[in-house]
C-alpha cells in the first residue's frame, strides 16, 4: 500500500479513538444461508444498526469533532443523497452546531423528512448530487459555512475506515470484504484499514449499473461526469467530483474490483436480507448480498464479510420490492 495515500491507518486509528462513545461497534453475524450458497463462511456487518441508520455517522462524527470551536459556530453544510445529511445533522446537533443539507429532487421523501426532524436547514436543489453541490458551494461563499463533504474528505474517509478496523478484529481470518461504493468514502476507508491489518484480503466494491461514477472514473483514468438515474440503490447515486482529491486515488490503489448490479439483482438482495436474514435494508446496502446471489463474486478463497450499510429505505418502496417488484423506477412505473 502506497505511503502517499491521503488517509493512513494512523488517521483511521485516531478517528476510532475520537468517535468512541459517539457511534456503536456494530455486530458481525454469520449468515447460514449465504455461507451454504458460497461454500465458505459469510458474515454480515450490520452497520445499518447505527442510530442514524447508516455507516455515515462514523465519518460525519469524526469530521465534526475534528473542527475547531470557531468552525462549528459558523455552521456546517453538505450535499447528500440522504444518509450523509442525516448523519451530519445528528453529529452537528450533538455538538451544538447548525447543519445545512442540500439535496436533489431524486432524494426519497423519507430521508428528507428525517433530516428536517433533526433540525437541519434543508435545501432541495436540482436533479442530481452534482447540482446540489453547486448550491453548497454558493452558500459556503455567501455565508462562510464549513463544508463537510459526503465522501471526498480525509476526516470522512478516516471515520468510515473505523468500520474496517472492526471487521479485521471481529473476523481475523477474513479473505474478502464486500463494500457498497458510490463516491468512495466507505470503500476507501475500509480498504485502507483492512489492507493495513490484513494485506492479502480482497476488497471489492459493489454498485448499481445506473450511474456507476467511480467505476466509470477508474476506467477513464480520471474523475468523469455521469448521468444520475433513479435506482433502488439511491444512496449510491451521484458523481465523485471532477476535482476529487482523496477517494479516487485511494480506490484506484486499494480496491481489487468494482462489480455492477442490475435493479433486479438489487431487489433480490433486499428480499434475501428481509426473508432470510430478518434485516430491513435499503437497496444500496443490499448490493453485497445481491452480488453473491447473482454469482458475480469470483475467486472466493475464504471467509467473506458483507457490509450492510444502511436501512433508511422508504417502507412503501420496501413493501413493493418484497412483493416482487424488481424495478420500480423503469419508464412508465415511477
Amino acid at each position: 500500500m502506497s505511503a502517499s495515500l491521503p488517509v493512513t491507518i494512523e488517521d483511521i486509528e485516531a478517528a476510532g479513538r475520537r468517535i468512541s462513545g459517539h457511534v456503536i461497534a456494530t455486530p458481525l453475524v454469520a449468515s447460514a444461508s449465504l455461507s451454504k450458497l458460497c461454500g465458505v463462511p459469510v458474515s454480515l456487518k450490520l452497520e445499518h444498526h447505527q442510530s442514524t441508520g447508516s455507516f455515515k455517522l462514523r465519518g460525519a462524527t469524526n469530521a465534526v469533532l475534528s473542527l475547531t470551536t470557531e468552525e462549528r459556530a459558523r455552521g456546517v453544510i453538505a450535499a447528500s443523497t440522504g444518509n450523509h445529511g442525516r448523519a451530519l445533522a445528528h453529529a452537528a446537533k450533538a455538538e451544538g452546531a447548525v447543519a445545512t443539507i442540500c439535496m436533489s429532487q431524486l432524494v426519497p421523501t423519507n430521508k428528507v423528512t428525517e433530516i428536517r426532524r433533526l433540525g437541519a436547514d434543508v435545501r432541495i436543489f436540482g436533479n442530481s448530487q452534482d447540482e446540489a453541490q453547486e448550491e453548497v458551494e454558493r452558500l459556503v461563499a455567501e455565508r462562510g459555512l464549513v463544508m463537510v463533504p459526503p465522501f471526498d474528505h480525509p476526516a470522512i474517509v478516516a471515520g468510515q475506515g473505523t468500520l474496517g478496523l472492526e471487521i479485521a478484529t471481529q473476523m481475523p481470518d477474513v479473505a474478502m470484504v464486500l463494500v457498497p461504493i458510490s463516491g468512495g468514502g466507505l470503500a476507501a476507508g475500509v480498504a485502507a484499514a483492512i489492507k493495513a491489518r490484513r494485506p492479502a484480503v480482497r476488497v471489492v466494491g459493489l454498485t448499481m449499473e445506473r450511474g456507476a461514477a467511480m467505476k466509470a472514473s477508474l476506467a477513464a483514468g480520471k474523475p468523469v461526469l455521469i448521468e444520475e438515474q433513479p435506482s433502488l440503490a439511491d444512496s449510491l447515486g451521484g458523481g465523485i467530483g471532477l476535482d476529487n482529491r482523496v477517494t479516487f486515488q485511494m480506490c484506484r490503489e486499494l480496491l481489487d474490483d468494482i462489480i455492477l448490479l442490475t435493479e433486479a439483482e438489487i431487489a433480490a438482495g433486499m428480499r434475501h436480507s428481509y426473508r432470510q436474514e430478518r434485516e430491513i435494508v435499503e437497496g444500496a446496502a443490499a448490493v453485497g448480498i445481491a452480488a453473491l446471489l447473482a454469482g458475480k463474486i469470483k475467486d472466493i478463497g475464504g471467509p467473506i464479510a458483507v457490509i450492510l450499510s444502511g436501512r433508511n429505505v422508504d417502507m412503501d418502496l420496501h413493501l413493493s420490492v418484497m412483493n416482487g417488484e424488481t424495478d420500480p423506477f423503469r419508464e412508465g412505473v415511477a
Side-chain angles (χ1 to χ4, degrees):
M1 188 167 62
S2 171
S4 63
L5 289 176
V7 176
T8 67
I9 186 63
E10 290 78 18
D11 296 325
I12 297 170
E13 290 170 342
R17 293 188 293 271
R18 190 176 293 117
I19 68 177
S20 178
H22 298 269
V23 305
I24 63 171
T26 51
L28 184 71
V29 300
S31 166
S33 60
L34 292 173
S35 297
K36 181 178 180 180
L37 173 70
C38 296
V40 299
V42 177
S43 294
L44 306 176
K45 181 64 169 166
L46 307 185
E47 192 60 18
H48 61 303
H49 287 191
Q50 289 291 351
S51 61
T52 60
S54 86
F55 73 93
K56 291 285 191 177
L57 186 60
R58 294 175 184 266
T61 299
N62 188 50
V64 169
L65 293 178
S66 298
L67 297 175
T68 66
T69 301
E70 184 273 334
E71 286 171 327
R72 289 180 206 168
R74 286 158 55 192
V76 295
I77 186 170
S80 175
T81 53
N83 286 336
H84 175 64
R86 183 171 178 174
L88 185 60
H90 177 96
K93 184 177 182 180
E95 298 303 314
V98 176
T100 300
I101 308 299
C102 299
M103 294 176 285
S104 82
Q105 297 180 52
L106 293 179
V107 176
T109 301
N110 67 298
K111 295 185 177 182
V112 176
T113 300
E114 182 59 24
I115 292 169
R116 284 200 171 108
R117 188 190 67 78
L118 287 167
D121 177 12
V122 173
R123 304 294 183 94
I124 305 300
F125 189 87
N127 295 302
S128 71
Q129 173 89 334
D130 291 332
E131 291 180 1
Q133 179 62 32
E134 292 174 6
E135 178 69 356
V136 168
E137 291 168 4
R138 185 187 71 80
L139 290 171
V140 167
E142 181 181 286
R143 300 185 181 181
L145 303 177
V146 177
M147 182 161 42
V148 181
F151 53 87
D152 194 40
H153 188 287
I156 294 291
V157 173
Q160 318 306 26
T162 62
L163 197 159
L165 292 181
E166 290 176 14
I167 292 174
T169 299
Q170 294 167 324
M171 198 176 193
D173 60 344
V174 64
M176 180 183 295
V177 178
L178 303 184
V179 54
I181 184 170
S182 176
L186 177 62
V190 167
I194 287 288
K195 289 182 180 288
R197 295 286 180 86
R198 309 274 190 274
V201 175
R202 296 182 66 218
V203 180
V204 178
L206 295 309
T207 193
M208 70 286 198
E209 287 185 349
R210 293 177 177 171
M214 185 62 79
K215 176 82 167 180
S217 296
L218 292 175
K222 62 181 181 180
V224 297
L225 291 174
I226 52 94
E227 180 184 356
E228 189 172 343
Q229 303 176 53
S231 170
L232 283 170
D234 57 88
S235 293
L236 302 183
I240 71 168
L242 293 181
D243 61 346
N244 188 292
R245 295 178 175 85
V246 179
T247 61
F248 176 77
Q249 177 192 353
M250 294 186 70
C251 288
R252 181 180 59 196
E253 295 196 27
L254 298 174
L255 292 186
D256 294 282
D257 198 4
I258 295 179
I259 293 172
L260 305 182
L261 286 306
T262 67
E263 295 299 301
E265 289 165 346
I266 295 169
M270 294 173 69
R271 283 192 289 272
H272 179 96
S273 177
Y274 181 67
R275 293 172 179 170
Q276 299 296 322
E277 313 297 342
R278 300 297 192 265
E279 299 288 345
I280 294 175
V281 299
E282 55 191 274
V287 289
I289 291 176
L292 293 175
L293 295 177
K296 290 188 171 181
I297 302 300
K298 309 298 182 183
D299 302 321
I300 299 175
I304 301 172
V306 182
I307 297 173
L308 303 188
S309 54
R311 67 168 185 260
N312 298 322
V313 61
D314 178 271
M315 291 309 294
D316 289 334
L317 174 62
H318 189 271
L319 180 61
S320 73
V321 172
M322 295 309 104
N323 287 334
E325 177 61 75
T326 59
D327 188 358
F329 301 108
R330 68 186 183 275
E331 188 174 353
V333 175

